[in-house]
Amino acid sequence: MTAGLEIAGLRVAYDSIRGPVVAVDGVDFTVGHERVALVGESGSGKSTVGRAILRLLPPSAHIAADRMTFDGIDLLGCDERRMRRVRGGRIGMILQDPRHALNPVMTVGRQIVESYRAHGGIGGTEARRRALDMLAAVHIRDPERVFAAYPHQLSGGMGQRAMIAMVLAAGPDLLIADEPTSALDVTVRHSVLAILDELVIAHGMGLLIITHDLNLVATFCDRALVMRAGRIVEALPASGLAEAHHPYTRALFAAAPTL
Amino acid sequence: MTVTDDETFRMARGRLRSGAVLAGSVAATILGLLLVTFFIGRVIPVDPVLAVVGDRASAETYAAAREAMGLDEPLWRQFLIYLGGVLRGDFGQSVLTGRPVLADIGRFFPATLELATLATLIGVLAGVPLGVIAAVRRGRWPDHVIRVVTLLGYSVPTFWLGMIALLLFYATLDWTAGPGRVDLFFEGLAQPVTGSLLIDSALAGAWDVFGSALDHILLPALVLGTFSLAYIARMTRSFMIDQLGQEYVLAARAKGLSEARVVWRHALGNTAIPLVTVVALSYGALLEGSVLTETVFAWPGLGAYLTNSLLNADMNAVLGCTIVVGIVFIGLNLLSDLLYRLLDPRAR
């Protein structure tokens, strides 16, 4: 398999006063044109993996891997210029809480336009037109209003849709979604996920969804990788999560609240 | 979203009410300021009458002067009389200069305004970029250098810095002009319009006067600017470090934006909001008249005037200066409120 994300032996350690702390301890997986979930409890290292792929960890983090490539691009070895084209252009990232992940002093429209202009090499008018289309594509009923709005003027679900529009703007081939719905109301979670799912399929993107919500995994994903203490302890089809063998996965599943 | 007439009316009424509240609080602040300064001026053990008549005057002269100055009246009447004068725009006479206090302030305050504005400009234009660079290079050598330099700039007394600067750049190297606002030769040549010598001389096209004035203001402005630069740079650094750790910065980087855009557009755009207060406060402190710097550089500003008046028990002048400083602070507060709204959509 050559297409998509290939990771082998990924290790991340953070500097601390008491020496290096290993957050990710040898992780291997691939993501092609499929929907893969990375599940695990808080502190298991799943978000660190997501950020390490885009080299967006703080300077105190040290990343090493036997292999970390995307469509043949060496994500660890390439220079910052190349990496910048990968970020947003090839691999997009959706963060948990739109209230914090959108710049509060910039209109939503400008932030989407910025994505286009960073990658598309297109003019302002064209970028604006495409941004409005993108807002319509994430099922925002009044794109003009949301375009001109500041993040605090939007609801959580609306903000997360705007964020999806912003991240998908430059047409990435892989989407990393870090807890994309856990900051949202239960009532809007489903609609945001449905939009995400629809767009991932429409654009033929790969999706790496980082979550602790096992119900979400079972409904939306093809495969699940279970992480614990910096390692992947089990990889299995998402539909088989309930019949998992590994005691940790079983414990995780047993801990999920039922609605 | 449609705005009904009713909503428009309610918004207009709300704006009117907040305007009235604002005017009321401004008036109350100034009244309180006057009250406190007035009574402090009356209870401190100085005798303004003696300052006028001298200590060799006869008892009759003393009593006559005391009556003429209105000091035989009860304290509360004295205050009301003074307040009435202020409302009519009469701040009384300065004993020291023998001119109306308002005219004195009109002459001295522009010099301070000019100096403080230039120093603040230096502070912002150099301090903000330094703070940003220190935050971005946090923990590495640019950060260490900037932190040490700004700590020095912040803690070295300005009068000392002023004297060293004069010694070095004026007395030894002869790069700049010495104390004073302008060379004696040009004194009084520019027609006072705004009171700022730089602007007045430029308006009149008197470029030799302008050059001399610029030569004179450079050193004191740099000395004062160093202090405000150090303060602004340190605050910028800490605000920036906070902002650079925010999620939206991560999201901006994940979009593939250049680091320059992430730092200077996204993070600095948010840092600018708390920075407004910092700049306004440091500007206000300089406008109060930086007494020591004005003394070292023989700068005829409000600080020097206020100090002289205080030392000579010239209470009308002191009160007048107090009102000016109070109004300046209130004005700066309003201005920073306005800027806040401009910079932060959440505050609108």
Side-chain angles (χ1 to χ4, degrees):
Chain A
M1 193 160 117
T2 52
L5 181 71
E6 287 180 68
I7 291 176
L10 175 66
R11 291 171 51 87
V12 180
Y14 289 98
D15 287 335
S16 81
I17 307 163
R18 272 171 273 158
V21 175
V22 176
V24 178
D25 191 9
V27 159
D28 317 87
F29 65 93
T30 60
V31 183
H33 293 291
E34 55 184 338
R35 291 163 298 179
V36 178
L38 199 55
V39 294
E41 61 192 3
S42 325
S44 60
K46 53 193 198 304
S47 281
T48 300
V49 169
R51 283 162 203 202
I53 293 167
L54 286 174
R55 293 208 328 232
L56 285 175
L57 290 169
S60 62
H62 301 284
I63 312 173
D66 301 330
R67 182 175 166 77
M68 188 160 85
T69 59
F70 183 75
D71 279 356
I73 304 166
D74 180 2
L75 296 178
L76 263 189
C78 74
D79 59 9
E80 195 50 35
R81 238 183 127 76
R82 188 89 192 264
M83 198 62 210
R84 230 164 55 211
R85 285 207 296 274
V86 171
R87 289 185 198 130
R90 304 299 310 277
I91 305 178
M93 184 154 83
I94 295 174
L95 298 174
Q96 181 174 357
D97 193 342
R99 275 170 294 241
H100 298 131
L102 291 169
N103 185 340
V105 303
M106 220 188 244
T107 60
V108 170
R110 284 196 79 116
Q111 297 187 56
I112 301 175
V113 164
E114 208 176 36
S115 283
Y116 279 111
R117 303 204 67 172
H119 295 284
I122 52 173
T125 331
E126 175 65 10
R128 186 192 145 84
R129 197 186 58 73
R130 287 199 205 172
L132 287 171
D133 287 349
M134 200 69 222
L135 283 172
V138 293
H139 300 276
I140 282 174
R141 248 166 293 155
D142 191 353
E144 293 274 357
R145 185 179 75 82
V146 173
F147 186 91
Y150 286 96
H152 74 279
Q153 295 166 324
L154 304 180
S155 66
M158 208 64 132
Q160 198 59 310
R161 289 182 209 191
M163 173 114 113
I164 292 172
M166 178 174 96
V167 173
L168 294 189
D173 305 298
L174 174 70
L175 197 60
I176 300 171
D178 191 350
E179 306 271 10
T181 56
S182 49
L184 302 180
D185 267 350
V186 182
T187 46
V188 296
R189 264 182 210 179
H190 197 82
S191 62
V192 167
L193 275 173
I195 291 165
L196 200 58
D197 195 47
E198 177 190 324
L199 290 169
V200 163
I201 292 169
H203 293 244
M205 279 185 285
L207 176 67
L208 177 65
I209 190 160
I210 296 163
T211 183
H212 56 255
D213 183 348
L214 295 172
N215 292 321
L216 180 159
V217 175
T219 6
F220 281 100
C221 299
D222 304 316
R223 287 196 295 133
L225 308 166
V226 183
M227 261 192 99
R228 185 196 184 191
R231 290 168 197 265
I232 292 178
V233 293
E234 191 165 19
L236 68 176
S239 53
L241 213 51
E243 293 91 49
H245 295 295
H246 195 283
Y248 179 68
T249 313
R250 297 194 66 86
L252 206 59
F253 207 72
T258 44
L259 282 176
Chain B
M1 199 164 70
T2 53
V3 180
T4 62
D5 287 349
D6 190 42
E7 275 176 58
T8 317
F9 172 70
R10 238 182 296 145
M11 271 158 66
R13 201 175 53 183
R15 219 165 274 160
L16 208 66
R17 192 184 300 151
S18 64
V21 168
L22 189 71
S25 75
V26 167
T29 311
I30 292 180
L31 187 69
L33 200 66
L34 274 179
L35 206 67
V36 171
T37 322
F38 186 86
F39 285 108
I40 288 178
R42 290 299 185 266
V43 295
I44 50 171
V46 295
D47 193 342
V49 182
L50 266 188
V52 177
V53 295
D55 47 11
R56 267 184 271 175
S58 65
E60 296 89 69
T61 321
Y62 182 90
R66 190 174 146 83
E67 205 185 319
M69 290 167 80
L71 293 173
D72 53 341
E73 301 271 1
L75 217 49
W76 61 272
R77 275 210 57 155
Q78 286 182 34
F79 181 68
L80 285 185
I81 291 168
Y82 179 74
L83 198 63
V86 167
L87 288 178
R88 274 179 276 115
D90 176 15
F91 287 70
Q93 295 272 321
S94 160
V95 178
L96 201 59
T97 62
R99 299 176 352 131
V101 168
L102 210 55
D104 274 349
I105 290 174
R107 205 174 56 164
F108 293 119
F109 186 60
T112 292
L113 188 67
E114 191 175 37
L115 187 59
T117 306
L118 202 61
T120 302
L121 273 178
I122 294 171
V124 172
L125 293 180
V128 171
L130 282 179
V132 170
I133 290 166
V136 170
R137 301 261 176 270
R138 186 187 181 187
R140 279 174 282 170
W141 70 265
D143 184 26
H144 295 312
V145 170
I146 290 168
R147 273 166 69 191
V148 169
V149 169
T150 54
L151 186 64
L152 278 177
Y154 196 54
S155 25
V156 165
T158 48
F159 72 89
W160 183 83
L161 198 63
M163 290 195 292
I164 296 295
L166 271 178
L167 194 66
L168 186 64
F169 296 112
Y170 168 60
T172 310
L173 295 169
D174 198 22
W175 286 358
T176 64
R181 262 186 111 181
V182 69
D183 286 346
L184 266 180
F185 178 72
F186 296 116
E187 194 86 64
L189 273 189
Q191 197 54 236
V193 183
T194 60
S196 153
L197 208 51
L198 288 174
I199 296 174
D200 287 348
S201 58
L203 281 180
W207 296 109
D208 43 355
V209 182
F210 180 84
S212 170
L214 190 66
D215 209 8
H216 276 267
I217 202 173
L218 212 56
L219 218 46
L222 277 174
V223 166
L224 277 183
T226 305
F227 182 75
S228 110
L229 175 158
Y231 180 52
I232 290 171
R234 292 181 77 77
M235 296 309 276
T236 305
R237 176 183 179 274
S238 81
F239 292 147
M240 267 310 264
I241 285 173
D242 181 43
Q243 290 300 327
L244 286 172
Q246 299 289 319
E247 287 264 290
Y248 71 84
V249 168
L250 180 70
R253 285 190 179 128
K255 281 200 287 189
L257 301 184
S258 67
E259 192 58 21
R261 197 170 166 84
V262 171
V263 169
W264 297 94
R265 180 92 171 76
H266 283 264
L268 188 59
N270 283 276
T271 300
I273 300 163
L275 216 50
V276 164
T277 313
V278 169
V279 173
L281 277 179
S282 91
Y283 190 37
L286 294 187
L287 278 179
E288 227 175 288
S290 15
V291 176
L292 292 172
T293 312
E294 287 184 358
T295 308
V296 170
F297 287 95
W299 195 260
L302 196 70
Y305 179 63
L306 181 58
T307 317
N308 268 334
S309 310
L310 269 172
L311 294 178
N312 291 285
D314 191 353
M315 286 322 289
N316 280 341
V318 173
L319 280 168
C321 290
T322 309
I323 298 173
V324 169
V325 170
I327 290 174
V328 161
F329 261 88
I330 291 166
L332 278 176
N333 262 314
L334 289 179
L335 193 70
S336 61
D337 260 15
L338 219 67
L339 273 174
Y340 236 92
R341 269 166 221 215
L342 209 68
L343 291 171
D344 189 353
R346 288 162 297 185
R348 275 171 218 160

